[in-house]
Amino acid sequence: MSNKNVIIFDDVRYCYGEVCAIQNVSFSIKEKTLTVLIGPNGGGKSTIIKLITGLLKPGKGNIVPEESAAIGYVAQNPWFDVTFPMTVNDMVLTGTLNHKVKLYNKYTQPQKQKALDAIELVGLNGFENREISQLSGGQLKRAVIARALSSNAEIIVLDEPDSSLDAKSTQELYEFLNQLKKDKTIIIASHHIHNLFDIADSVIYINNEAQEYASPIELEEKLKGGMAI
Amino acid sequence: MIEAILEYAFMRNAVIAAVLASIVTGIIGTIAIEKKLVSMSGGVAHASFGGIGLGYLLGFEPIWGGLFFAIGSSLLISKLSSTKKMKADTITGVLWSFGMALGILFIALAPGYMPDMTSYLFGDILSVSTNALLYMAIFTAVIVLVFTMLYNYFIVYLFDEEYAKARGFKVNLLKWIVYTMIPIGIIVLIKIVGIILTIALMTIPVSIAKIFFKTFGKVVVGSIIISMIFCFIGLTVSYYINIPSGVCIIIISTIVYLLLLLTKSAIQRRIHVKKQHQEDDIYD
């Protein structure tokens, strides 16, 4: 873990029309840590995730980094159509593509290897040539995570990554993310904070505003006191 | 048939036009289906009729008017729907009818007898002039060039736009390119199957290709080949029976598609039943 802050929110506000999902939000996330965003439904977790990934721009305040190219994103409910003609390998390969346009781009051997490594990391070996339409919900989630991992992104953001995984797969995923934080910064939005207590380095409680906790234990004390998540 | 192709210039033009239209079908049709822009494409095709009518009224090549109206309406649909104040479906419906109405108005206002618009509405592969072939070739070349240059970026954009945005891809640029390529492709197809039947040629070969091929690239190439087969069959039938080519192509391709769907469904049912029997045997 280093002391370098890779994400900084400085007095950020975002409103949908007249309803403000978050306001006066300030926090920072350190490099190569695993941070969990928790809070009740409608508290603004997904809004913060979208602000981090650049899908939304703040109405007020500043966010570092301003560009989202270095961030790998695993959405809660991916928007894509699973009938898109694509294999698991094709999908994960797209994660290795750089956002800067290079005409007649072809995937290199290292990119192909990176995709295969990511597929193996999420335990989808043997499924490389399987069409995405033939995957179960959990397998599809893993493929989406593999796509984020195959990128050069230093920061991986996962919005409710356990939403369509069974208990065993969730445990495996979290063990894997715990290993991954040695190399990358991981941010997870989740309701299931108890699964994450052992691996989280810091927790940010979001309920319209943000409250940082240096350790999960500190938050656990608050939860025992009846705070909602 | 081969003798006719060798003997008559109009038949050679028809064959080249069929090849060009099939290339466009494979690329534009796959993009439109995967990005769910099929009804938008229908609206754009019909809106182009306004420009064709304007060409007749003002005395310039109607197809240029059609191209201008098609691109204009496509970009308008993209712009208005992105503000979320109007649904793309609603704007498409409005431009669909408005374009047709304008076309008929312009043609009615043009001096002299009202021209026969059947070839624009239903297509006529046997009447493709060398001049028309030239613009079809240029438009097809532009589409192929842009598509191959940005192939991997198109896949990212078409498959998961939200992810592409989050990773910093130039999604807006890709969107504008797609919304410009589709109307250009439609103008190529209008010569073969006409405004009214364009959507069918854009969707049926791609839908058939999706039954057989499971990757984006293979679906594109597969649709090009399937479209060529249908166009040549349609051309042959049209030549011998003297009925509009567009109608032949669409009727034949629709029948083949429906038969394939029925066959696929029957095979899947048989596999399902077989699997159930095997499971029952295990439990017994």
Short mmCIF file of all heavy atoms in Angstrom, two decimals, chain B residues 7-61:
data_model
loop_
_atom_site.label_atom_id
_atom_site.label_comp_id
_atom_site.label_asym_id
_atom_site.label_seq_id
_atom_site.Cartn_x
_atom_site.Cartn_y
_atom_site.Cartn_z
N GLU B 7 -23.49 -10.88 -72.53
CA GLU B 7 -23.98 -10.18 -73.73
C GLU B 7 -24.46 -8.76 -73.44
O GLU B 7 -24.17 -7.82 -74.19
CB GLU B 7 -25.12 -11.00 -74.35
CG GLU B 7 -25.47 -10.54 -75.75
CD GLU B 7 -26.51 -11.46 -76.40
OE1 GLU B 7 -26.73 -12.59 -75.90
OE2 GLU B 7 -27.11 -11.02 -77.38
N TYR B 8 -25.17 -8.57 -72.32
CA TYR B 8 -25.82 -7.27 -72.09
C TYR B 8 -25.13 -6.46 -70.99
O TYR B 8 -24.86 -6.98 -69.89
CB TYR B 8 -27.29 -7.46 -71.69
CG TYR B 8 -28.10 -8.22 -72.71
CD1 TYR B 8 -28.63 -9.47 -72.40
CD2 TYR B 8 -28.33 -7.68 -73.99
CE1 TYR B 8 -29.36 -10.17 -73.33
CE2 TYR B 8 -29.06 -8.39 -74.92
CZ TYR B 8 -29.58 -9.64 -74.59
OH TYR B 8 -30.29 -10.33 -75.50
N ALA B 9 -24.90 -5.17 -71.31
CA ALA B 9 -24.25 -4.27 -70.33
C ALA B 9 -25.13 -4.12 -69.09
O ALA B 9 -24.62 -4.10 -67.97
CB ALA B 9 -24.00 -2.92 -70.97
N PHE B 10 -26.46 -4.06 -69.28
CA PHE B 10 -27.35 -3.84 -68.11
C PHE B 10 -27.30 -5.02 -67.15
O PHE B 10 -27.45 -4.88 -65.95
CB PHE B 10 -28.79 -3.54 -68.57
CG PHE B 10 -29.59 -4.73 -69.02
CD1 PHE B 10 -30.36 -5.45 -68.12
CD2 PHE B 10 -29.59 -5.12 -70.35
CE1 PHE B 10 -31.11 -6.55 -68.54
CE2 PHE B 10 -30.33 -6.21 -70.77
CZ PHE B 10 -31.09 -6.94 -69.87
N MET B 11 -27.03 -6.24 -67.72
CA MET B 11 -26.93 -7.42 -66.85
C MET B 11 -25.62 -7.40 -66.07
O MET B 11 -25.56 -7.78 -64.90
CB MET B 11 -27.01 -8.70 -67.68
CG MET B 11 -28.41 -9.07 -68.12
SD MET B 11 -29.53 -9.32 -66.73
CE MET B 11 -29.02 -10.93 -66.15
N ARG B 12 -24.55 -6.94 -66.74
CA ARG B 12 -23.27 -6.84 -66.04
C ARG B 12 -23.38 -5.81 -64.91
O ARG B 12 -22.90 -6.03 -63.80
CB ARG B 12 -22.15 -6.44 -67.02
CG ARG B 12 -21.70 -7.58 -67.91
CD ARG B 12 -20.39 -7.27 -68.59
NE ARG B 12 -20.50 -6.16 -69.55
CZ ARG B 12 -20.92 -6.30 -70.82
NH1 ARG B 12 -21.26 -7.49 -71.27
NH2 ARG B 12 -20.97 -5.27 -71.63
N ASN B 13 -24.04 -4.68 -65.23
CA ASN B 13 -24.25 -3.66 -64.19
C ASN B 13 -25.04 -4.24 -63.02
O ASN B 13 -24.75 -3.95 -61.86
CB ASN B 13 -25.03 -2.46 -64.77
CG ASN B 13 -24.15 -1.59 -65.64
OD1 ASN B 13 -22.95 -1.85 -65.78
ND2 ASN B 13 -24.71 -0.54 -66.22
N ALA B 14 -26.05 -5.04 -63.36
CA ALA B 14 -26.90 -5.62 -62.30
C ALA B 14 -26.09 -6.53 -61.38
O ALA B 14 -26.25 -6.50 -60.16
CB ALA B 14 -28.05 -6.40 -62.94
N VAL B 15 -25.19 -7.33 -62.00
CA VAL B 15 -24.37 -8.25 -61.19
C VAL B 15 -23.44 -7.46 -60.26
O VAL B 15 -23.33 -7.75 -59.07
CB VAL B 15 -23.56 -9.19 -62.11
CG1 VAL B 15 -22.52 -9.98 -61.31
CG2 VAL B 15 -24.49 -10.15 -62.84
N ILE B 16 -22.80 -6.42 -60.83
CA ILE B 16 -21.89 -5.60 -59.99
C ILE B 16 -22.68 -4.91 -58.88
O ILE B 16 -22.26 -4.87 -57.73
CB ILE B 16 -21.13 -4.56 -60.86
CG1 ILE B 16 -20.27 -5.28 -61.91
CG2 ILE B 16 -20.25 -3.66 -59.99
CD1 ILE B 16 -19.71 -4.38 -62.99
N ALA B 17 -23.86 -4.40 -59.23
CA ALA B 17 -24.71 -3.72 -58.23
C ALA B 17 -25.10 -4.68 -57.11
O ALA B 17 -25.11 -4.31 -55.93
CB ALA B 17 -25.96 -3.16 -58.90
N ALA B 18 -25.37 -5.94 -57.48
CA ALA B 18 -25.75 -6.93 -56.47
C ALA B 18 -24.60 -7.19 -55.51
O ALA B 18 -24.79 -7.32 -54.30
CB ALA B 18 -26.17 -8.24 -57.16
N VAL B 19 -23.38 -7.25 -56.07
CA VAL B 19 -22.20 -7.49 -55.22
C VAL B 19 -22.01 -6.31 -54.26
O VAL B 19 -21.80 -6.49 -53.06
CB VAL B 19 -20.94 -7.69 -56.10
CG1 VAL B 19 -19.68 -7.72 -55.24
CG2 VAL B 19 -21.06 -8.98 -56.90
N LEU B 20 -22.11 -5.09 -54.80
CA LEU B 20 -21.92 -3.88 -53.97
C LEU B 20 -22.98 -3.82 -52.86
O LEU B 20 -22.67 -3.58 -51.69
CB LEU B 20 -21.97 -2.62 -54.83
CG LEU B 20 -20.84 -2.45 -55.86
CD1 LEU B 20 -21.11 -1.25 -56.76
CD2 LEU B 20 -19.50 -2.30 -55.18
N ALA B 21 -24.23 -4.06 -53.25
CA ALA B 21 -25.32 -3.99 -52.27
C ALA B 21 -25.14 -5.05 -51.19
O ALA B 21 -25.45 -4.81 -50.01
CB ALA B 21 -26.66 -4.18 -52.97
N SER B 22 -24.62 -6.21 -51.56
CA SER B 22 -24.43 -7.28 -50.58
C SER B 22 -23.34 -6.92 -49.58
O SER B 22 -23.46 -7.22 -48.39
CB SER B 22 -24.07 -8.59 -51.29
OG SER B 22 -25.12 -8.95 -52.15
N ILE B 23 -22.29 -6.27 -50.06
CA ILE B 23 -21.22 -5.84 -49.15
C ILE B 23 -21.81 -4.85 -48.13
O ILE B 23 -21.56 -4.94 -46.93
CB ILE B 23 -20.05 -5.21 -49.94
CG1 ILE B 23 -19.37 -6.27 -50.81
CG2 ILE B 23 -19.03 -4.56 -49.00
CD1 ILE B 23 -18.38 -5.73 -51.82
N VAL B 24 -22.62 -3.93 -48.65
CA VAL B 24 -23.25 -2.92 -47.77
C VAL B 24 -24.19 -3.61 -46.77
O VAL B 24 -24.18 -3.30 -45.58
CB VAL B 24 -24.02 -1.88 -48.62
CG1 VAL B 24 -24.92 -1.04 -47.74
CG2 VAL B 24 -23.04 -1.01 -49.37
N THR B 25 -24.96 -4.57 -47.27
CA THR B 25 -25.88 -5.30 -46.39
C THR B 25 -25.14 -5.95 -45.22
O THR B 25 -25.55 -5.84 -44.07
CB THR B 25 -26.60 -6.40 -47.20
OG1 THR B 25 -27.48 -5.78 -48.10
CG2 THR B 25 -27.39 -7.33 -46.30
N GLY B 26 -24.03 -6.62 -45.54
CA GLY B 26 -23.27 -7.32 -44.50
C GLY B 26 -22.78 -6.37 -43.42
O GLY B 26 -22.88 -6.68 -42.22
N ILE B 27 -22.27 -5.23 -43.82
CA ILE B 27 -21.68 -4.30 -42.85
C ILE B 27 -22.77 -3.48 -42.14
O ILE B 27 -22.90 -3.51 -40.91
CB ILE B 27 -20.67 -3.36 -43.54
CG1 ILE B 27 -19.50 -4.18 -44.10
CG2 ILE B 27 -20.17 -2.29 -42.57
CD1 ILE B 27 -18.51 -3.40 -44.94
N ILE B 28 -23.56 -2.77 -42.94
CA ILE B 28 -24.56 -1.86 -42.36
C ILE B 28 -25.67 -2.63 -41.65
O ILE B 28 -26.15 -2.24 -40.59
CB ILE B 28 -25.15 -0.94 -43.46
CG1 ILE B 28 -24.04 -0.07 -44.03
CG2 ILE B 28 -26.29 -0.09 -42.95
CD1 ILE B 28 -23.37 0.84 -43.03
N GLY B 29 -26.08 -3.75 -42.26
CA GLY B 29 -27.14 -4.55 -41.66
C GLY B 29 -26.72 -5.08 -40.29
O GLY B 29 -27.49 -5.04 -39.33
N THR B 30 -25.48 -5.58 -40.20
CA THR B 30 -25.01 -6.11 -38.92
C THR B 30 -24.93 -5.00 -37.88
O THR B 30 -25.34 -5.18 -36.73
CB THR B 30 -23.63 -6.80 -39.08
OG1 THR B 30 -23.71 -7.72 -40.16
CG2 THR B 30 -23.22 -7.54 -37.83
N ILE B 31 -24.42 -3.85 -38.28
CA ILE B 31 -24.34 -2.71 -37.35
C ILE B 31 -25.74 -2.33 -36.87
O ILE B 31 -25.98 -2.16 -35.67
CB ILE B 31 -23.64 -1.51 -38.02
CG1 ILE B 31 -22.15 -1.78 -38.20
CG2 ILE B 31 -23.84 -0.22 -37.20
CD1 ILE B 31 -21.38 -0.69 -38.93
N ALA B 32 -26.68 -2.20 -37.83
CA ALA B 32 -28.04 -1.77 -37.48
C ALA B 32 -28.72 -2.77 -36.54
O ALA B 32 -29.38 -2.38 -35.57
CB ALA B 32 -28.87 -1.59 -38.74
N ILE B 33 -28.52 -4.07 -36.80
CA ILE B 33 -29.16 -5.08 -35.94
C ILE B 33 -28.53 -5.07 -34.55
O ILE B 33 -29.23 -5.04 -33.54
CB ILE B 33 -29.07 -6.48 -36.58
CG1 ILE B 33 -30.09 -6.56 -37.72
CG2 ILE B 33 -29.31 -7.59 -35.55
CD1 ILE B 33 -30.27 -7.91 -38.32
N GLU B 34 -27.21 -5.06 -34.48
CA GLU B 34 -26.56 -5.15 -33.17
C GLU B 34 -26.74 -3.88 -32.35
O GLU B 34 -26.72 -3.92 -31.13
CB GLU B 34 -25.07 -5.50 -33.32
CG GLU B 34 -24.80 -6.84 -33.97
CD GLU B 34 -25.55 -8.00 -33.32
OE1 GLU B 34 -25.98 -7.88 -32.16
OE2 GLU B 34 -25.75 -9.03 -34.01
N LYS B 35 -26.93 -2.73 -33.02
CA LYS B 35 -27.12 -1.48 -32.27
C LYS B 35 -28.61 -1.15 -32.14
O LYS B 35 -28.96 -0.07 -31.67
CB LYS B 35 -26.37 -0.35 -33.00
CG LYS B 35 -26.04 0.86 -32.16
CD LYS B 35 -25.09 0.57 -31.03
CE LYS B 35 -25.05 1.68 -30.01
NZ LYS B 35 -24.53 1.25 -28.72
N LYS B 36 -29.44 -2.06 -32.59
CA LYS B 36 -30.91 -1.89 -32.54
C LYS B 36 -31.34 -0.61 -33.24
O LYS B 36 -32.09 0.22 -32.70
CB LYS B 36 -31.40 -1.92 -31.09
CG LYS B 36 -31.03 -3.24 -30.43
CD LYS B 36 -31.65 -3.47 -29.11
CE LYS B 36 -31.39 -4.87 -28.58
NZ LYS B 36 -30.08 -5.45 -28.84
N LEU B 37 -30.84 -0.45 -34.46
CA LEU B 37 -31.17 0.74 -35.24
C LEU B 37 -31.96 0.37 -36.50
O LEU B 37 -31.93 1.10 -37.48
CB LEU B 37 -29.88 1.48 -35.65
CG LEU B 37 -29.07 2.09 -34.50
CD1 LEU B 37 -27.76 2.68 -35.01
CD2 LEU B 37 -29.87 3.17 -33.80
N VAL B 38 -32.65 -0.78 -36.46
CA VAL B 38 -33.36 -1.23 -37.65
C VAL B 38 -34.53 -0.30 -37.98
O VAL B 38 -34.68 0.13 -39.13
CB VAL B 38 -33.84 -2.69 -37.48
CG1 VAL B 38 -34.72 -3.11 -38.64
CG2 VAL B 38 -32.64 -3.63 -37.39
N SER B 39 -35.34 0.05 -36.99
CA SER B 39 -36.49 0.91 -37.32
C SER B 39 -36.00 2.31 -37.65
O SER B 39 -36.58 2.98 -38.50
CB SER B 39 -37.53 0.92 -36.20
OG SER B 39 -37.02 1.54 -35.06
N MET B 40 -34.90 2.76 -37.02
CA MET B 40 -34.32 4.05 -37.40
C MET B 40 -33.91 4.01 -38.88
O MET B 40 -34.16 4.95 -39.63
CB MET B 40 -33.10 4.34 -36.51
CG MET B 40 -32.45 5.70 -36.67
SD MET B 40 -31.46 5.95 -38.14
CE MET B 40 -29.91 5.24 -37.69
N SER B 41 -33.33 2.88 -39.30
CA SER B 41 -32.91 2.74 -40.70
C SER B 41 -34.12 2.81 -41.63
O SER B 41 -34.04 3.40 -42.71
CB SER B 41 -32.19 1.40 -40.91
OG SER B 41 -31.11 1.31 -40.00
N GLY B 42 -35.22 2.20 -41.21
CA GLY B 42 -36.46 2.26 -42.01
C GLY B 42 -36.92 3.70 -42.16
O GLY B 42 -37.29 4.14 -43.25
N GLY B 43 -36.88 4.44 -41.06
CA GLY B 43 -37.28 5.86 -41.08
C GLY B 43 -36.39 6.67 -42.00
O GLY B 43 -36.87 7.48 -42.80
N VAL B 44 -35.10 6.41 -41.93
CA VAL B 44 -34.13 7.14 -42.75
C VAL B 44 -34.36 6.83 -44.24
O VAL B 44 -34.34 7.74 -45.09
CB VAL B 44 -32.69 6.78 -42.32
CG1 VAL B 44 -31.66 7.23 -43.34
CG2 VAL B 44 -32.38 7.39 -40.96
N ALA B 45 -34.60 5.55 -44.54
CA ALA B 45 -34.85 5.16 -45.94
C ALA B 45 -36.06 5.90 -46.49
O ALA B 45 -36.03 6.43 -47.61
CB ALA B 45 -35.06 3.64 -46.02
N HIS B 46 -37.13 5.94 -45.71
CA HIS B 46 -38.34 6.61 -46.18
C HIS B 46 -38.17 8.12 -46.24
O HIS B 46 -38.69 8.79 -47.14
CB HIS B 46 -39.54 6.22 -45.29
CG HIS B 46 -40.03 4.84 -45.57
ND1 HIS B 46 -39.36 3.71 -45.14
CD2 HIS B 46 -41.11 4.39 -46.27
CE1 HIS B 46 -40.01 2.64 -45.56
NE2 HIS B 46 -41.08 3.01 -46.23
N ALA B 47 -37.43 8.68 -45.27
CA ALA B 47 -37.19 10.13 -45.27
C ALA B 47 -36.42 10.56 -46.51
O ALA B 47 -36.58 11.68 -46.99
CB ALA B 47 -36.44 10.53 -44.00
N SER B 48 -35.59 9.64 -47.04
CA SER B 48 -34.79 9.99 -48.22
C SER B 48 -35.67 10.30 -49.44
O SER B 48 -35.25 10.98 -50.37
CB SER B 48 -33.82 8.84 -48.55
OG SER B 48 -34.52 7.76 -49.11
N PHE B 49 -36.91 9.80 -49.41
CA PHE B 49 -37.81 10.03 -50.54
C PHE B 49 -38.09 11.53 -50.72
O PHE B 49 -38.30 12.00 -51.84
CB PHE B 49 -39.13 9.28 -50.32
CG PHE B 49 -39.99 9.21 -51.55
CD1 PHE B 49 -39.55 8.57 -52.70
CD2 PHE B 49 -41.26 9.79 -51.57
CE1 PHE B 49 -40.34 8.51 -53.84
CE2 PHE B 49 -42.07 9.74 -52.70
CZ PHE B 49 -41.60 9.10 -53.84
N GLY B 50 -38.05 12.28 -49.61
CA GLY B 50 -38.21 13.74 -49.70
C GLY B 50 -37.13 14.34 -50.57
O GLY B 50 -37.39 15.20 -51.42
N GLY B 51 -35.89 13.90 -50.38
CA GLY B 51 -34.77 14.41 -51.16
C GLY B 51 -34.84 13.99 -52.62
O GLY B 51 -34.47 14.74 -53.52
N ILE B 52 -35.33 12.75 -52.84
CA ILE B 52 -35.47 12.26 -54.22
C ILE B 52 -36.49 13.14 -54.96
O ILE B 52 -36.26 13.57 -56.09
CB ILE B 52 -35.89 10.77 -54.21
CG1 ILE B 52 -34.71 9.92 -53.73
CG2 ILE B 52 -36.37 10.32 -55.58
CD1 ILE B 52 -35.05 8.48 -53.38
N GLY B 53 -37.61 13.45 -54.27
CA GLY B 53 -38.63 14.33 -54.86
C GLY B 53 -38.07 15.72 -55.14
O GLY B 53 -38.34 16.32 -56.19
N LEU B 54 -37.25 16.23 -54.21
CA LEU B 54 -36.65 17.56 -54.39
C LEU B 54 -35.75 17.58 -55.62
O LEU B 54 -35.72 18.57 -56.37
CB LEU B 54 -35.84 17.93 -53.13
CG LEU B 54 -35.36 19.37 -53.04
CD1 LEU B 54 -36.53 20.34 -52.91
CD2 LEU B 54 -34.40 19.56 -51.86
N GLY B 55 -35.03 16.48 -55.82
CA GLY B 55 -34.18 16.36 -57.01
C GLY B 55 -35.00 16.48 -58.29
O GLY B 55 -34.61 17.18 -59.24
N TYR B 56 -36.16 15.80 -58.31
CA TYR B 56 -37.04 15.89 -59.48
C TYR B 56 -37.55 17.32 -59.68
O TYR B 56 -37.60 17.84 -60.80
CB TYR B 56 -38.22 14.94 -59.33
CG TYR B 56 -37.93 13.59 -59.92
CD1 TYR B 56 -37.62 12.50 -59.11
CD2 TYR B 56 -37.92 13.39 -61.30
CE1 TYR B 56 -37.32 11.27 -59.64
CE2 TYR B 56 -37.62 12.17 -61.85
CZ TYR B 56 -37.32 11.11 -61.02
OH TYR B 56 -37.01 9.89 -61.56
N LEU B 57 -37.90 17.97 -58.57
CA LEU B 57 -38.47 19.32 -58.65
C LEU B 57 -37.44 20.33 -59.14
O LEU B 57 -37.72 21.17 -60.01
CB LEU B 57 -39.00 19.75 -57.26
CG LEU B 57 -39.58 21.16 -57.16
CD1 LEU B 57 -40.83 21.30 -58.04
CD2 LEU B 57 -39.94 21.49 -55.72
N LEU B 58 -36.21 20.24 -58.60
CA LEU B 58 -35.19 21.23 -58.93
C LEU B 58 -34.28 20.82 -60.08
O LEU B 58 -33.41 21.59 -60.51
CB LEU B 58 -34.35 21.55 -57.68
CG LEU B 58 -35.13 22.11 -56.48
CD1 LEU B 58 -34.20 22.36 -55.30
CD2 LEU B 58 -35.88 23.39 -56.83
N GLY B 59 -34.45 19.59 -60.56
CA GLY B 59 -33.73 19.16 -61.75
C GLY B 59 -32.31 18.68 -61.52
O GLY B 59 -31.49 18.69 -62.43
N PHE B 60 -31.98 18.24 -60.29
CA PHE B 60 -30.66 17.61 -60.09
C PHE B 60 -30.85 16.12 -59.83
O PHE B 60 -31.98 15.65 -59.67
CB PHE B 60 -29.86 18.30 -58.96
CG PHE B 60 -30.50 18.25 -57.59
CD1 PHE B 60 -30.32 17.15 -56.76
CD2 PHE B 60 -31.28 19.32 -57.13
CE1 PHE B 60 -30.89 17.12 -55.50
CE2 PHE B 60 -31.85 19.28 -55.87
CZ PHE B 60 -31.66 18.17 -55.05
N GLU B 61 -29.74 15.37 -59.85
CA GLU B 61 -29.80 13.91 -59.68
C GLU B 61 -30.54 13.57 -58.37
O GLU B 61 -30.08 13.89 -57.26
CB GLU B 61 -28.38 13.34 -59.67
CG GLU B 61 -28.25 11.87 -59.27
CD GLU B 61 -29.06 10.92 -60.16
OE1 GLU B 61 -28.98 11.04 -61.39
OE2 GLU B 61 -29.80 10.08 -59.59
#
